[in-house]
Amino acid sequence: MTRSIYLCISVFLFISWIPKLITSYPLSTKSRWIVDEKGQRVKLACVNWPAHLQPAVAEGLSKQPLDSISKKIVSMGFNCVRLTWPLDLMTNDTLALKVTVKQSFERLNLLDDVLGIQTHNPKILNLPIFNAFQEVVSNLGQNGVMVILDNHLTTPGWCCSDNDLDAFFEYPNLDPAIWAKGLSKMATLFRNVTNVVGMSLRNEPRGTRDFPDLWFRYMPKGGEAVHAANPEVLVILSGIDYDTNLSFLRDRFFNVSFTNKLVFEQHWYSFSDGRDSWKKHNSNDFCAKIIEKVTHNGGFLMSRGFPLFLTEFGANLRSGDVSGNRYMNCLVAWAAENDLDWAVWALTGDYYLRTGQKHMVETFGVLDPNWKEVANSTYLQKLSGIQLPVRGPGLQSKKLLFHPSTGLCVTSNLSNNLPTLRLEQCRKAEPSTFDPSEGILWSNKMCVEAPDAVGQKVKLGVGTKCSKLGQTSATHMHLSFKTTSNGSLLCLDVDERDNSIVAKPCKCLTKDASCDPASQWFKVL
């Protein structure tokens, strides 16, 4: 039995923390949960680290030492990396074993990166490409980071479009037999590497042929190839339509020999619902509509006893991305409600070479272009709210009231003579319960006494003056009440100055698409 200690540090604007989690490998599944060897829930809180582009080397190694990047991953609260790889790495021995890292960069005229790797990671410069890939996995393991090996595409490069020659099975560059052989080889090579806990079979199947019949013909075979070569790893199957759609499993399923290793994955971006669609619609209505769609397309698998792994999502962190911000608040609420395993796109500060451009900045990347600092600490704080598990086998469930916009939870503030509510890190927050049928919000055995004026703090009492709250709006995330003085409708909100919970006029209850209700969204967990 191997035990690894994971240090998870969520970086906040104002505080950081280090909880310790012990995981016993290998991982398996128990109903909709991923569990360790002892049957205890393990939540995958991952970041995508691309290694599938033209150099076929993990990004960022010309900017920072490998060990520094691994430690940065841990310091940001991630316990897992979804490490991408091209199929050619397993099916083209010349690429994998006869081309060194230095040669790969030199043939692409990436001479500055050669110098950068010589400076920061001289150990890998003259290694064959695959051996350098092994070094990354090994170093992540030394830092207590789990790895999901994701077969991202066939030939090294950027992904994805409908016209790619490897978009789906039986396309010119995706021969199912060669694909299964490559998966088997990769699984074999990492068979005794304990921190490799799962293999994702293929990223974003898509194109004009991505219909279920071909999926059923080949995807389970790929899974069996992995399981036969390495029975310890989770086998992660993606859907069609850029991995946004698993709905074909509603009425038709398949038999495999690895039922206790079977995990499904799904992707969800703001543009999955149409470019700029989130700023064209009322956020309350649109969030409810899209969650219904995502649940229909893949979320339903959880209720059928299968883990669902949200392996790609993210938003532009370097500009005022209105659609992205609204979508992220909706997604984080859904991920928190379902306590999902997930992998955010992406770690990347910049790319060595992407679609012909050197050192293109990854606007979705959690690191800056120097691969040293956090690109957007507010975004990372939001993610921190879904990094730790709140329920599942071996865990004592804790009722919480979650604020998706900040990644924090509601707790009682007993420092004043008159107890109030405020936001706090979820791991520190007092349990909060809300029963929609009775409409009473309880925190620390006290109930909410709603104020009678806009801007006033929400008080807590002992039960004689409990206010009845309603779940207003299509998302059911507005908690509203009527004032006693004039019967006007107010909602719980957050005072950004001190994170206290206050009463304000309810936002965005009309069809207005210009307003943002995020500060008034609270998700009952």
Side-chain angles (χ1 to χ4, degrees):
M1 182 186 302
T2 302
R3 292 185 178 182
S4 296
I5 297 177
Y6 295 91
L7 302 179
C8 301
I9 310 173
S10 290
V11 180
F12 298 121
L13 290 173
F14 49 90
I15 193 165
S16 61
W17 52 277
I18 312 177
K20 293 183 179 180
L21 302 175
I22 299 177
T23 300
S24 300
Y25 300 129
L27 304 185
S28 58
T29 65
K30 185 176 183 180
S31 184
R32 60 144 296 192
W33 307 108
I34 294 171
V35 297
D36 65 14
E37 197 172 47
K38 296 179 178 179
Q40 307 289 303
R41 167 85 195 278
V42 174
K43 181 169 183 173
L44 301 178
C46 315
V47 63
N48 281 274
W49 191 351
H52 66 274
L53 280 82
Q54 283 177 273
V57 174
E59 302 291 335
L61 298 181
S62 64
K63 294 293 183 70
Q64 296 295 330
L66 171 57
D67 193 61
S68 296
I69 296 174
S70 294
K71 284 180 167 56
K72 189 66 177 180
I73 289 168
V74 175
S75 76
M76 293 186 292
F78 302 109
N79 64 5
C80 161
V81 159
R82 181 177 180 249
L83 185 64
T84 66
W85 60 279
L87 189 63
D88 281 357
L89 194 63
M90 289 294 99
T91 60
N92 182 341
D93 286 344
T94 299
L95 171 67
L97 302 175
K98 297 181 180 179
V99 176
T100 67
V101 170
K102 182 179 180 183
Q103 290 169 339
S104 178
F105 281 89
E106 286 178 340
R107 70 183 182 181
L108 295 169
N109 197 32
L110 299 174
L111 304 183
D112 288 345
D113 289 300
V114 172
L115 293 175
I117 293 173
Q118 176 67 58
T119 300
H120 298 295
N121 293 287
K123 179 181 178 181
I124 73 164
L125 187 62
N126 293 305
L127 289 181
I129 294 293
F130 178 68
N131 295 131
F133 188 84
Q134 288 176 306
E135 285 292 322
V136 173
V137 173
S138 176
N139 189 267
L140 288 167
Q142 291 165 23
N143 283 280
V145 179
M146 295 177 282
V147 173
I148 304 293
L149 298 175
D150 167 62
N151 176 223
H152 212 71
L153 75 183
T154 299
T155 301
W158 183 245
C159 178
C160 300
S161 74
D162 286 336
N163 299 322
D164 292 334
L165 296 179
D166 62 350
F168 203 62
F169 301 119
E170 298 185 357
Y171 272 52
N173 288 355
L174 186 50
D175 181 302
I178 295 174
W179 167 73
K181 183 179 178 180
L183 290 175
S184 177
K185 187 176 180 180
M186 180 66 87
T188 299
L189 289 168
F190 284 98
R191 179 165 182 154
N192 296 314
V193 181
T194 55
N195 71 306
V196 174
V197 298
M199 286 188 60
S200 181
L201 302 190
R202 189 70 177 187
N203 178 67
E204 297 193 350
R206 61 203 177 277
T208 57
R209 298 183 203 168
D210 69 340
F211 40 80
D213 285 344
L214 282 178
W215 190 98
F216 280 111
R217 185 182 306 169
Y218 297 120
M219 192 66 78
K221 290 181 180 178
E224 293 288 4
V226 167
H227 186 65
N230 187 342
E232 305 290 8
V233 295
L234 300 171
V235 181
I236 304 166
L237 277 63
S238 54
I240 60 176
D241 300 333
Y242 292 85
D243 197 14
T244 64
N245 189 359
L246 290 154
S247 63
F248 52 88
L249 296 175
R250 285 180 165 272
D251 303 314
R252 178 182 175 187
F253 213 72
F254 54 93
N255 294 316
V256 290
S257 64
F258 51 91
T259 52
N260 69 329
K261 297 289 185 177
L262 178 59
V263 176
F264 292 98
E265 65 173 296
Q266 188 172 8
H267 292 181
W268 178 15
Y269 287 103
S270 66
F271 49 78
S272 303
D273 312 307
R275 296 283 177 181
D276 293 328
S277 55
W278 284 84
K279 68 180 182 182
K280 296 177 182 177
H281 298 88
N282 174 272
S283 291
N284 288 314
D285 296 339
F286 200 62
C287 177
K289 176 183 176 181
I290 298 304
I291 286 179
E292 182 178 356
K293 172 187 169 183
V294 171
T295 302
H296 176 272
N297 284 354
F300 72 94
L301 288 163
M302 291 182 283
S303 64
R304 297 193 181 184
F306 296 99
L308 183 67
F309 188 8
L310 187 65
T311 52
E312 282 192 31
F313 67 96
N316 188 336
L317 309 185
R318 292 167 172 81
S319 69
D321 182 6
V322 175
S323 280
N325 291 337
R326 293 181 179 182
Y327 136 86
M328 275 299 299
N329 291 327
C330 181
L331 180 146
V332 168
W334 183 70
E337 181 181 27
N338 291 284
D339 204 4
L340 286 176
D341 300 281
W342 51 267
V344 67
W345 189 274
L347 179 67
T348 327
D350 70 347
Y351 296 95
Y352 305 122
L353 182 68
R354 173 177 160 181
T355 58
Q357 181 177 332
K358 296 180 180 180
H359 293 289
M360 179 187 289
V361 173
E362 173 55 89
T363 58
F364 283 43
V366 298
L367 291 180
D368 70 3
N370 288 323
W371 285 74
K372 187 175 183 180
E373 304 297 335
V374 172
N376 187 319
S377 56
T378 302
Y379 183 80
L380 197 61
Q381 176 178 293
K382 188 194 301 283
L383 293 180
S384 75
I386 55 173
Q387 283 179 328
L388 293 181
V390 295
R391 60 184 183 274
L395 295 177
Q396 185 175 355
S397 296
K398 181 180 179 181
K399 299 290 186 180
L400 294 168
L401 187 60
F402 179 64
H403 191 245
S405 179
T406 59
L408 302 176
C409 288
V410 173
T411 193
S412 55
N413 182 12
L414 305 179
S415 59
N416 301 321
N417 292 330
L418 193 61
T420 56
L421 290 176
R422 61 180 174 84
L423 295 180
E424 175 61 277
Q425 300 167 50
C426 292
R427 69 182 186 91
K428 291 183 177 182
E430 295 283 347
S432 295
T433 59
F434 177 76
D435 183 351
S437 62
E438 69 172 11
I440 306 299
L441 174 60
W442 296 89
S443 180
N444 201 23
K445 299 181 180 180
M446 293 180 286
C447 67
V448 164
E449 296 181 0
D452 206 40
V454 172
Q456 289 184 348
K457 292 184 178 181
V458 173
K459 299 179 293 184
L460 290 172
V462 293
T464 57
K465 296 181 180 179
C466 296
S467 298
K468 187 168 184 176
L469 305 179
Q471 289 181 299
T472 309
S473 79
T475 59
H476 302 293
M477 286 195 282
H478 281 78
L479 296 181
S480 64
F481 60 92
K482 290 185 177 181
T483 61
T484 56
S485 59
N486 58 13
S488 61
L489 189 70
L490 299 180
C491 282
L492 302 191
D493 206 325
V494 178
D495 188 332
E496 294 181 352
R497 295 171 298 180
D498 60 2
N499 275 347
S500 61
I501 307 301
V502 297
K504 290 187 178 180
C506 299
K507 297 179 181 178
C508 311
L509 298 186
T510 66
K511 297 298 181 182
D512 183 9
S514 64
C515 65
D516 184 358
S519 67
Q520 294 185 347
W521 277 0
F522 295 88
K523 175 58 70 174
V524 180
L525 305 185

